[in-house]
Amino acid sequence: MAGSSFGTIFRITTWGESHGRGIGVIIDGCPAGISLSEEWVQTYLNRRKPGQTRYSTPRKENDMVTIESGVFDGLTTGTPISMVVHNETQRSSDYSEISSYYRPGHADFTFDTKYGFRDYRGGGRSSGRETIGRVAAGAVACALLNELGITVTAYTKAIGSITATPASPDISSLIEERDASPLFLPGKEASDAAEEYLKNTMKQLDSAGGIIECIISGCPAGLGDPVFEKLDANLAKAIFSIGAVKGVEIGSGFSCAVANGSENNDAFLGMENGRANKATNHAGGILGGISDGSDIILRAAIKPTPSIFREQQTIRRDGSPVSVQIKGRHDPVIVPRAVVVVESMAALTIADALLVNMSARIDRIREFYH
Amino acid sequence: MAGSSFGTIFRITTWGESHGRGIGVIIDGCPAGISLSEEWVQTYLNRRKPGQTRYSTPRKENDMVTIESGVFDGLTTGTPISMVVHNETQRSSDYSEISSYYRPGHADFTFDTKYGFRDYRGGGRSSGRETIGRVAAGAVACALLNELGITVTAYTKAIGSITATPASPDISSLIEERDASPLFLPGKEASDAAEEYLKNTMKQLDSAGGIIECIISGCPAGLGDPVFEKLDANLAKAIFSIGAVKGVEIGSGFSCAVANGSENNDAFLGMENGRANKATNHAGGILGGISDGSDIILRAAIKPTPSIFREQQTIRRDGSPVSVQIKGRHDPVIVPRAVVVVESMAALTIADALLVNMSARIDRIREFYH
Amino acid sequence: MAGSSFGTIFRITTWGESHGRGIGVIIDGCPAGISLSEEWVQTYLNRRKPGQTRYSTPRKENDMVTIESGVFDGLTTGTPISMVVHNETQRSSDYSEISSYYRPGHADFTFDTKYGFRDYRGGGRSSGRETIGRVAAGAVACALLNELGITVTAYTKAIGSITATPASPDISSLIEERDASPLFLPGKEASDAAEEYLKNTMKQLDSAGGIIECIISGCPAGLGDPVFEKLDANLAKAIFSIGAVKGVEIGSGFSCAVANGSENNDAFLGMENGRANKATNHAGGILGGISDGSDIILRAAIKPTPSIFREQQTIRRDGSPVSVQIKGRHDPVIVPRAVVVVESMAALTIADALLVNMSARIDRIREFYH
Amino acid sequence: MAGSSFGTIFRITTWGESHGRGIGVIIDGCPAGISLSEEWVQTYLNRRKPGQTRYSTPRKENDMVTIESGVFDGLTTGTPISMVVHNETQRSSDYSEISSYYRPGHADFTFDTKYGFRDYRGGGRSSGRETIGRVAAGAVACALLNELGITVTAYTKAIGSITATPASPDISSLIEERDASPLFLPGKEASDAAEEYLKNTMKQLDSAGGIIECIISGCPAGLGDPVFEKLDANLAKAIFSIGAVKGVEIGSGFSCAVANGSENNDAFLGMENGRANKATNHAGGILGGISDGSDIILRAAIKPTPSIFREQQTIRRDGSPVSVQIKGRHDPVIVPRAVVVVESMAALTIADALLVNMSARIDRIREFYH
């Protein structure tokens, strides 16, 4: 099944494996006329590049992107945009051993069961490198959103039990604090504490998880649909499609389960430019599946990296038990590098919803075709 | 956009509003040869019917289903199954007032913004009655899953801060305890405490939220795809598409964020009939987006009913502020009635994944067409 | 598979069998705010109703439509429009015999092979009655097109070898002449000759085929896509999905195979309101898969009704040979009743292309969301 | 919109322009375990390569394919297969002039209208080079079909009014005769006559059209769906999506319009291995939209190449009239090179239908998951 595509109108398809020739993405349905350069896309890719701090895999990849089609004279043409990043450092030998057994917490077992065999080098298609395609496409989605004054901002909300302490909820200050932290975790003290926690975790040959928060600002009211294509349902799918995500919540999220309606309802105070002005935002910017014009806020729970250097119990392909110790180059925590992936998947979802929404009303359609 | 459809191969489309002629669903892509009767579907619909306890709206609806097509001699024919439930008690007068203002926590504002106007009677398309179509379709999905030995079981995990205390994790005992509780919350003591909490909440003209857990048993390994169509991503979208859901988690969920890899990884112990036998199930039955054959476990956070009888601050269609007190017949908590809706959406997702998975391997395809 | 749906944004799903409870359609993705009444839809359905002349089946059906959802205060709401026509005269007994053998030229054999059994009453899902859903939906598509000044006009171009002789190519005069003919074949003389031919055919217990032409006027330039979603490709699929169609051509069609480029190319003369003004229209209004603003012209070849009253050679379900003589009430030619079906499928295709096209350019999108 | 994708389960997405970096295709949903090499794909691409005879453009392209992902140890892995052909000889200068006016019979005008501007070099996305992606993907589809004993064979049926005269209807002899002709037109005499006709056409600075026939053999009965996803409807769309196609017919095609039912019906004689044995095959192997197991036969009308070297009347971008004479390297007839494109599109359609069909019956599904 076409399981490597995402989106309805602004639709992307990713391809490539960790240790094949490269990783790529096709964007089909990107509107014509948007300024686009390799430099712009590279900025996003650099944020997920490995080897930048001691908390990410020492595997060095330049991850340089090439735009192969769909751009002419610096503008998108409305036809498919193909982008590729060629793989450079491939130590397949690291992986020859894991062809024989199933790593706990990985897709090895399920892949073999589904397809009969697998490209075992570096996780193959299930590798985190697959997200390169998402981030390249997300960069283009952000270029589209920028044209409409919409911004998407994700940051590390927590690593383990250490939570971000941004000085201000203001987006630009949040971004500044985020980018000052090697863990993309706003708040100097919190960031330092998280580094300490990670060092300790690494010493114990273990790994850590965390939480990423994403804020979408400037979104017009009216995006999303009232039934199956609710904006929050599509955002949840988008975020859950990222490898290590085990939970997603919108607005007040799980805490709403213990709240009362009188606490959880957001009183309407007024309207501004077709957007609701609300006393609070427990809804996280979405009511009945449709954006209300206030900030859309979501959080994702990221599991600890399954590749740990401790001895673990598992089985071989024939089902026989074996004790293994994973080698290779692995991130002790993937949260920081996943921040831009969350941002990308959110941007792709909003870009698609924007285009889908254009056909909702005959008065606007008549105007369009005047 | 076709926002009222769900699924790729086993695909449903719902229609209807709270106060229109009725609510219905078309299932397109249901395999031929499955035994199906109106009685079977009715059993599922009865579980979401209002007016059964004091904790659901006193609005009485029989919600009797008619199968209009796609079944011949008691078997599905492979062609579209159309099912309808006609609306009976429609007190539209209850709603004439709310046409003029936007209820907090509801889709009134976003609907008007998106479509230019709305059918304001009883929430129109955003009404909880829309889920009738989902439950009818879910009953058919369950009939399909039963043929393959797969069961889907949801129950109230918590109401407010009171959590279920099932005597045993065994599915059939869980179902028995669930069905003994008016709140579908297993554990007599917990159920009584939740009732007490709800009575109190109602006295305060307020509403409550909670958590629903769903367990899918007997699922073969190999369902789902490794990238965007991950089984957990599709389950998350399915569950998030239910009106009041604000969070979804799989397996260890949000708690994985504070765990270490050595705790969170599930050791493989062996294989049985192509399924993984694991020491623990923090993964919730899904690895790399593909089912591993163990129980699939998910939880959904349900917000408190937004329709409360207290005075609330809101705005009129023209943006002017107004203080309102909602009237009508509303559930003080929707969790119990949503249990079968969660079950239905999960069943629909699994049924679709089962059919999609059939084309994964050429050896199985050759066998199929021998 | 979701084989009963058509369209991407303006998406319809039909359901129902010839001898079940009824035939229906859901339109999902119809924009909000379009005036719609049952009377409007009925006008279209009346054009395909049987029993109006001696050249259609004497089976009498009123085929009265009910709109069950998606319309409020006379306007579409943007949510699914469900329409149903209940079956009235069902002589299932006519069909009990055909359960045991496969009628030549019908789907009996292929249906049994695909699904393992079939609802044999009146062709079941393969009955021409399935097109009721298409025509009801087509009526709504036409209401949408009318808002934008687009008209869709089909007529009988030929029955057997007798070809229409319209007095003028003007659309309104064409419609007048068409509606004056019991065979919807413009030109009194031609229509009379075709009647004579049909009477003769019926006398010989035989059936006839023909050609339907469809003209879409007022279509803006720019609809359709340059690769797989070419406007002509989608029109061809739409028309080929009608039961008895064996060929489709656009513009000069098959005759272009024997023409030279210098004859077949349409010289551009100028532009008017963004539409091309061309010396000829061999392209049939579509260049490179995209509408050029001139009339879109297509033709469909309709095979002779396979239900003939002569003795025919066929096989039973077990493969044994048998000689059969079909009974019941059948059209000697389906061309006239199929005219409005062709019109409907063309209208549905154009309506969808109009909505899809809105997201092609960032300048128009920016304007839309100003 | 995702207009560069084709297929539901076996789904391809093409990208690239005539004068960009290259042309490529992603196949998503190809089953795992199929033997695949670049050599296999190259064989198909060589059949559409330009510069092989005097009847195709003298532009020399090697069109060497690289498989970038989705194949491991010589087998497809079930994940996306990315293939690319880099562009080599790009004389963009040839095209600088045509940026200012609209070539008759080309997509120049409609592209500009739709997207606001266009990549005018060599037709950009509307170039015949886009079909490279289709042919590469078609080669993979054929590898899948071969595993199931299905063959797809296209050949030039006619050029201008000169029709093929194959010595035998036998497929392998047909292929032999086809490949002996520089025009892929079986029958030495006919091929020679067609060459003569083309030489004459070229002398007159003109171009020619023709007809391609395609025969699909070994297809099991049961493929396709009874309503919108009819196998013939999908084949028609597939073929119509090829640039110059103006008509498609199945089986008896347009000639059925003048036949009677007694002539056009195919009598059933018996069954063999679940396939119908019929006295004739006017249906072209498809009944009610579903394959009956006999040969599927279709024909496509190809218009004469619009790029001719005669003076033509057209307009500039601003609408002002201009007389032009097209330069560059163009095929005087595209029929021969389009043969393998028709084959590819047909193979892709059948491959997809095969996979879709697997979920039609619960007995087969139960067996599959036993």
Side-chain angles (χ1 to χ4, degrees):
Chain A
M1 220 276 305
S4 291
S5 295
F6 182 83
T8 297
I9 294 188
F10 192 99
R11 186 170 173 88
I12 72 166
T13 303
T14 70
W15 59 269
E17 300 93 29
S18 177
H19 285 62
R21 286 176 176 270
I23 301 278
V25 66
I26 314 301
I27 309 175
D28 196 16
C30 180
I34 302 172
S35 285
L36 190 68
S37 67
E38 291 175 349
E39 291 67 37
W40 172 267
V41 177
Q42 196 61 50
T43 313
Y44 284 78
L45 285 173
N46 288 347
R47 288 172 58 198
R48 77 158 290 293
K49 226 167 51 176
Q52 304 193 100
T53 72
R54 57 189 299 182
Y55 313 110
S56 73
T57 168
R59 168 167 154 168
K60 280 267 183 318
E61 297 270 6
N62 284 311
D63 289 349
M64 298 300 292
V65 73
T66 305
I67 298 179
E68 298 182 299
S69 68
V71 176
F72 182 61
D73 280 351
L75 298 175
T76 59
T77 59
T79 64
I81 300 168
S82 172
M83 296 183 284
V84 66
V85 165
H86 290 289
N87 290 331
E88 293 176 347
T89 76
Q90 307 168 0
R91 286 206 239 148
S92 294
S93 54
D94 282 358
Y95 298 99
S96 58
E97 191 197 328
I98 66 164
S99 67
S100 64
Y101 63 80
Y102 299 132
R103 290 169 298 165
H106 277 280
D108 299 349
F109 167 74
T110 53
F111 229 91
D112 265 14
T113 305
K114 184 175 193 78
Y115 297 108
F117 78 117
R118 74 184 196 281
D119 179 351
Y120 48 76
R121 301 165 305 164
R125 182 72 179 144
S126 294
S127 163
R129 278 188 74 71
E130 180 271 334
T131 60
I132 285 175
R134 303 177 183 224
V135 172
V140 180
C142 285
L144 165 57
L145 298 185
N146 283 1
E147 296 258 5
L148 303 167
I150 303 167
T151 61
V152 182
T153 312
Y155 67 98
T156 304
K157 177 83 176 181
I159 285 183
S161 55
I162 296 140
T163 302
T165 52
S168 142
D170 173 71
I171 294 290
S172 61
S173 125
L174 192 66
I175 292 175
E176 206 174 298
E177 287 193 83
R178 174 191 74 186
D179 294 346
S181 159
L183 301 168
F184 298 137
L185 185 140
K188 169 102 182 77
E189 242 173 295
S191 180
D192 289 349
E195 283 201 64
E196 210 50 49
Y197 166 67
L198 281 179
K199 279 179 208 161
N200 208 33
T201 301
M202 288 164 80
K203 238 178 263 166
Q204 292 168 41
L205 307 179
D206 217 331
S207 64
I211 289 174
I212 294 172
E213 184 164 278
C214 185
I215 302 169
I216 302 150
S217 291
C219 200
L223 305 193
D225 271 302
V227 184
F228 296 114
E229 301 294 327
K230 285 187 166 77
L231 188 57
D232 32 0
N234 278 326
L235 283 167
K237 176 170 178 175
I239 304 303
F240 250 112
S241 78
I242 303 170
V245 171
K246 299 303 285 183
V248 169
E249 54 181 16
I250 309 272
S252 57
F254 271 86
S255 74
C256 80
V258 294
N260 291 122
S262 60
E263 298 159 341
N264 196 62
N265 282 353
D266 302 314
F268 287 112
L269 303 180
M271 268 198 277
E272 277 171 60
N273 301 320
R275 290 166 199 206
N277 183 357
K278 302 179 308 182
T280 50
N281 190 11
H282 297 118
I286 300 175
L287 282 168
I290 303 171
S291 66
D292 66 15
S294 47
D295 281 358
I296 296 172
I297 299 166
L298 61 86
R299 277 173 303 283
I302 312 285
K303 75 173 182 181
T305 320
S307 288
I308 54 175
F309 301 110
R310 290 199 193 177
E311 190 172 294
Q312 293 185 91
Q313 190 56 39
T314 190
I315 52 175
R316 296 194 188 86
R317 288 205 65 189
D318 62 6
S320 61
V322 61
S323 196
V324 300
Q325 215 163 343
I326 289 168
K327 297 188 191 81
R329 302 161 294 175
H330 305 287
D331 300 76
V333 65
I334 65 162
V335 174
R337 291 179 60 203
V339 163
V340 70
V341 183
V342 166
E343 220 171 273
S344 296
M345 291 308 303
L348 289 163
T349 308
I350 300 296
D352 196 39
L354 270 163
L355 303 185
V356 165
N357 178 56
M358 293 179 72
S359 57
R361 295 164 57 167
I362 192 67
D363 54 346
R364 307 297 308 276
I365 297 167
R366 249 190 330 243
E367 212 176 283
F368 186 94
Y369 284 110
H370 49 116
Chain B
M1 222 273 306
S4 291
S5 295
F6 183 83
T8 296
I9 295 187
F10 192 99
R11 186 169 173 89
I12 72 166
T13 303
T14 69
W15 59 268
E17 301 93 27
S18 177
H19 286 63
R21 286 175 176 270
I23 302 279
V25 66
I26 314 300
I27 308 175
D28 196 15
C30 181
I34 302 172
S35 286
L36 190 67
S37 67
E38 290 174 350
E39 290 68 36
W40 173 267
V41 178
Q42 195 61 50
T43 312
Y44 284 79
L45 285 173
N46 288 346
R47 288 170 59 198
R48 76 158 293 292
K49 225 166 53 177
Q52 303 191 99
T53 72
R54 56 188 299 182
Y55 313 109
S56 73
T57 167
R59 169 166 151 168
K60 280 268 183 317
E61 296 271 5
N62 284 311
D63 287 349
M64 298 300 294
V65 73
T66 305
I67 298 178
E68 297 181 300
S69 70
V71 175
F72 183 60
D73 281 350
L75 297 175
T76 58
T77 59
T79 63
I81 300 169
S82 172
M83 297 184 283
V84 65
V85 164
H86 290 289
N87 290 332
E88 292 177 347
T89 76
Q90 308 168 357
R91 286 206 238 147
S92 295
S93 53
D94 283 359
Y95 298 98
S96 56
E97 192 197 328
I98 66 163
S99 67
S100 64
Y101 64 81
Y102 300 134
R103 291 169 298 164
H106 278 280
D108 300 348
F109 167 73
T110 52
F111 230 92
D112 265 14
T113 306
K114 184 176 192 77
Y115 297 108
F117 77 117
R118 73 185 196 278
D119 179 351
Y120 48 76
R121 301 165 305 163
R125 183 70 178 146
S126 293
S127 163
R129 278 188 75 71
E130 181 271 336
T131 61
I132 285 175
R134 303 177 184 223
V135 172
V140 179
C142 285
L144 164 57
L145 297 184
N146 283 1
E147 296 259 4
L148 303 167
I150 303 166
T151 61
V152 182
T153 310
Y155 67 98
T156 304
K157 178 82 175 179
I159 285 183
S161 55
I162 295 140
T163 301
T165 52
S168 143
D170 173 72
I171 294 290
S172 62
S173 125
L174 193 66
I175 292 175
E176 206 174 298
E177 285 193 85
R178 174 192 74 187
D179 293 346
S181 158
L183 301 168
F184 299 136
L185 184 140
K188 170 103 181 76
E189 242 171 296
S191 179
D192 289 350
E195 284 201 63
E196 209 52 46
Y197 166 67
L198 281 179
K199 277 180 209 160
N200 208 33
T201 302
M202 290 164 78
K203 237 179 263 162
Q204 291 167 40
L205 307 180
D206 217 329
S207 64
I211 289 173
I212 294 172
E213 183 163 279
C214 184
I215 302 169
I216 301 153
S217 291
C219 201
L223 306 192
D225 273 300
V227 184
F228 296 113
E229 300 294 327
K230 285 188 167 73
L231 189 56
D232 32 358
N234 278 325
L235 283 167
K237 176 171 177 172
I239 304 303
F240 250 112
S241 78
I242 303 170
V245 171
K246 298 304 285 184
V248 169
E249 53 180 16
I250 309 273
S252 58
F254 271 85
S255 73
C256 81
V258 295
N260 290 121
S262 60
E263 298 160 341
N264 195 62
N265 281 354
D266 304 312
F268 287 113
L269 304 180
M271 268 198 278
E272 276 171 61
N273 301 319
R275 290 167 200 209
N277 183 359
K278 301 180 307 182
T280 49
N281 191 11
H282 296 119
I286 300 175
L287 282 167
I290 303 173
S291 65
D292 66 15
S294 48
D295 282 357
I296 295 170
I297 299 166
L298 63 86
R299 279 173 302 284
I302 312 285
K303 75 173 183 182
T305 321
S307 288
I308 54 174
F309 300 111
R310 290 199 193 178
E311 191 171 293
Q312 293 183 92
Q313 190 55 37
T314 190
I315 51 174
R316 296 194 188 86
R317 290 204 65 188
D318 62 6
S320 60
V322 59
S323 195
V324 301
Q325 215 164 343
I326 287 168
K327 298 189 190 79
R329 301 162 295 175
H330 305 287
D331 299 75
V333 64
I334 65 161
V335 174
R337 291 179 60 201
V339 163
V340 70
V341 183
V342 167
E343 220 171 274
S344 296
M345 291 310 301
L348 288 164
T349 307
I350 300 296
D352 196 37
L354 270 163
L355 302 185
V356 165
N357 179 55
M358 294 179 73
S359 55
R361 297 165 56 168
I362 191 68
D363 55 347
R364 307 296 310 277
I365 297 167
R366 249 188 331 243
E367 212 177 284
F368 187 93
Y369 283 111
H370 50 111
Chain C
M1 222 276 303
S4 291
S5 294
F6 182 83
T8 296
I9 294 188
F10 192 98
R11 186 169 174 88
I12 72 166
T13 303
T14 68
W15 59 268
E17 299 93 29
S18 176
H19 285 63
R21 285 176 176 270
I23 301 279
V25 67
I26 314 300
I27 308 174
D28 196 15
C30 180
I34 301 172
S35 286
L36 191 68
S37 67
E38 291 174 349
E39 291 66 36
W40 172 267
V41 178
Q42 195 62 51
T43 313
Y44 284 79
L45 286 172
N46 288 346
R47 288 170 59 197
R48 77 159 291 293
K49 226 166 53 177
Q52 303 191 100
T53 73
R54 56 187 300 181
Y55 312 109
S56 72
T57 167
R59 169 168 151 166
K60 280 269 183 317
E61 298 271 5
N62 284 312
D63 289 350
M64 298 299 293
V65 73
T66 306
I67 298 179
E68 297 182 301
S69 69
V71 176
F72 182 60
D73 280 351
L75 297 174
T76 58
T77 60
T79 64
I81 300 168
S82 171
M83 295 184 283
V84 65
V85 164
H86 290 289
N87 289 331
E88 292 176 349
T89 77
Q90 308 168 357
R91 287 207 238 147
S92 295
S93 53
D94 282 359
Y95 297 99
S96 57
E97 192 196 329
I98 66 162
S99 67
S100 63
Y101 64 79
Y102 299 133
R103 290 168 298 165
H106 278 280
D108 299 349
F109 166 74
T110 52
F111 230 91
D112 265 14
T113 305
K114 184 175 193 75
Y115 297 108
F117 78 116
R118 73 184 196 278
D119 178 351
Y120 47 77
R121 301 164 306 164
R125 182 69 179 147
S126 293
S127 163
R129 278 188 74 69
E130 180 272 334
T131 59
I132 285 176
R134 303 176 184 225
V135 173
V140 180
C142 285
L144 164 57
L145 298 184
N146 283 0
E147 296 258 5
L148 303 167
I150 303 166
T151 60
V152 182
T153 312
Y155 66 98
T156 304
K157 178 84 176 177
I159 285 183
S161 55
I162 296 138
T163 302
T165 52
S168 143
D170 172 71
I171 293 291
S172 61
S173 123
L174 193 66
I175 292 175
E176 205 174 300
E177 286 193 86
R178 174 192 74 187
D179 294 346
S181 158
L183 301 169
F184 298 136
L185 186 140
K188 170 104 181 77
E189 240 171 297
S191 179
D192 289 349
E195 283 201 64
E196 209 51 48
Y197 165 66
L198 280 179
K199 278 180 208 159
N200 208 32
T201 302
M202 288 163 79
K203 237 180 263 163
Q204 292 168 41
L205 306 179
D206 218 329
S207 64
I211 288 173
I212 295 172
E213 182 164 278
C214 184
I215 302 168
I216 302 153
S217 292
C219 202
L223 305 193
D225 273 300
V227 185
F228 297 112
E229 301 294 327
K230 284 187 167 76
L231 189 57
D232 33 358
N234 278 325
L235 283 166
K237 176 171 179 174
I239 304 303
F240 250 113
S241 78
I242 302 170
V245 171
K246 299 304 284 183
V248 169
E249 55 180 16
I250 309 272
S252 58
F254 272 86
S255 74
C256 79
V258 295
N260 290 122
S262 60
E263 299 159 341
N264 195 62
N265 282 352
D266 304 313
F268 288 112
L269 304 179
M271 269 198 278
E272 277 171 59
N273 300 320
R275 290 166 199 208
N277 184 358
K278 301 180 306 182
T280 49
N281 190 11
H282 297 119
I286 300 175
L287 281 168
I290 304 173
S291 65
D292 67 14
S294 48
D295 281 358
I296 296 171
I297 299 165
L298 62 87
R299 279 172 301 283
I302 311 285
K303 76 174 182 181
T305 321
S307 288
I308 54 174
F309 300 109
R310 290 199 192 178
E311 190 170 293
Q312 293 184 94
Q313 190 56 38
T314 190
I315 51 174
R316 296 194 189 86
R317 289 206 63 189
D318 62 6
S320 62
V322 60
S323 195
V324 302
Q325 213 162 346
I326 288 168
K327 298 187 190 81
R329 303 161 293 175
H330 305 286
D331 300 76
V333 65
I334 66 162
V335 174
R337 291 180 60 202
V339 164
V340 70
V341 183
V342 166
E343 219 172 274
S344 297
M345 292 309 302
L348 289 164
T349 307
I350 300 296
D352 197 37
L354 270 163
L355 302 186
V356 165
N357 179 55
M358 293 178 73
S359 55
R361 296 164 58 166
I362 191 67
D363 55 345
R364 307 297 309 274
I365 297 168
R366 248 188 332 242
E367 210 177 285
F368 187 93
Y369 283 111
H370 50 109
Chain D
M1 221 275 305
S4 291
S5 296
F6 182 82
T8 297
I9 294 188
F10 192 98
R11 185 168 174 89
I12 72 166
T13 303
T14 69
W15 60 268
E17 300 92 30
S18 178
H19 285 62
R21 287 177 175 269
I23 301 278
V25 67
I26 314 299
I27 309 176
D28 196 16
C30 180
I34 301 172
S35 286
L36 190 68
S37 67
E38 290 175 350
E39 291 68 36
W40 172 267
V41 178
Q42 195 61 51
T43 314
Y44 284 79
L45 285 173
N46 288 346
R47 289 171 58 198
R48 76 161 291 293
K49 228 167 49 178
Q52 304 192 99
T53 72
R54 57 187 299 182
Y55 313 110
S56 70
T57 167
R59 169 167 152 166
K60 278 269 183 317
E61 296 271 6
N62 286 312
D63 289 349
M64 299 299 293
V65 74
T66 305
I67 299 180
E68 298 182 299
S69 69
V71 175
F72 183 61
D73 280 351
L75 297 175
T76 58
T77 60
T79 63
I81 300 168
S82 172
M83 296 184 285
V84 66
V85 164
H86 290 288
N87 289 332
E88 293 175 347
T89 77
Q90 307 168 1
R91 286 207 239 147
S92 294
S93 54
D94 282 0
Y95 297 100
S96 58
E97 190 197 329
I98 66 163
S99 67
S100 64
Y101 63 79
Y102 299 133
R103 290 170 297 165
H106 278 281
D108 299 348
F109 166 74
T110 53
F111 229 91
D112 264 15
T113 306
K114 184 176 192 76
Y115 297 109
F117 77 118
R118 73 184 197 280
D119 178 351
Y120 47 76
R121 302 165 304 163
R125 183 71 180 145
S126 293
S127 163
R129 277 188 75 69
E130 180 271 334
T131 60
I132 284 177
R134 303 177 183 223
V135 172
V140 180
C142 285
L144 164 57
L145 297 184
N146 283 3
E147 295 259 4
L148 304 167
I150 304 166
T151 61
V152 181
T153 311
Y155 66 99
T156 303
K157 179 83 178 180
I159 285 184
S161 55
I162 295 139
T163 302
T165 51
S168 141
D170 173 72
I171 294 289
S172 60
S173 123
L174 192 65
I175 292 175
E176 207 173 298
E177 287 193 86
R178 174 193 73 186
D179 294 346
S181 158
L183 300 169
F184 299 136
L185 184 140
K188 170 102 182 79
E189 240 171 299
S191 180
D192 290 349
E195 284 201 64
E196 211 50 49
Y197 165 66
L198 281 179
K199 278 179 210 162
N200 208 34
T201 302
M202 288 164 78
K203 237 178 266 164
Q204 292 166 42
L205 306 180
D206 217 330
S207 64
I211 289 173
I212 294 171
E213 182 163 278
C214 184
I215 302 169
I216 302 151
S217 291
C219 200
L223 305 192
D225 272 301
V227 184
F228 296 112
E229 300 294 327
K230 284 188 167 76
L231 189 57
D232 33 358
N234 277 324
L235 283 166
K237 176 171 178 174
I239 304 305
F240 250 113
S241 77
I242 303 169
V245 171
K246 299 304 284 184
V248 169
E249 55 180 15
I250 309 272
S252 57
F254 271 85
S255 74
C256 80
V258 295
N260 291 122
S262 60
E263 298 159 341
N264 195 63
N265 283 352
D266 304 313
F268 287 113
L269 303 179
M271 268 198 277
E272 276 172 61
N273 301 321
R275 289 164 200 210
N277 183 357
K278 302 179 307 183
T280 49
N281 189 12
H282 297 118
I286 300 175
L287 281 168
I290 303 172
S291 66
D292 67 15
S294 47
D295 281 358
I296 296 171
I297 298 164
L298 62 87
R299 277 172 304 281
I302 311 285
K303 74 174 183 181
T305 320
S307 287
I308 54 175
F309 300 110
R310 290 200 192 177
E311 190 171 293
Q312 293 184 91
Q313 189 56 39
T314 189
I315 52 175
R316 299 196 187 84
R317 288 204 67 191
D318 62 5
S320 61
V322 61
S323 196
V324 301
Q325 211 161 346
I326 289 170
K327 299 189 190 78
R329 302 161 294 175
H330 305 286
D331 300 77
V333 65
I334 66 162
V335 174
R337 291 180 60 203
V339 163
V340 71
V341 183
V342 166
E343 220 171 274
S344 296
M345 291 309 302
L348 288 164
T349 307
I350 299 297
D352 196 38
L354 270 162
L355 302 185
V356 165
N357 179 55
M358 294 179 73
S359 56
R361 295 165 58 168
I362 191 67
D363 54 347
R364 307 296 310 275
I365 297 168
R366 250 191 328 246
E367 213 175 284
F368 186 94
Y369 282 110
H370 50 116

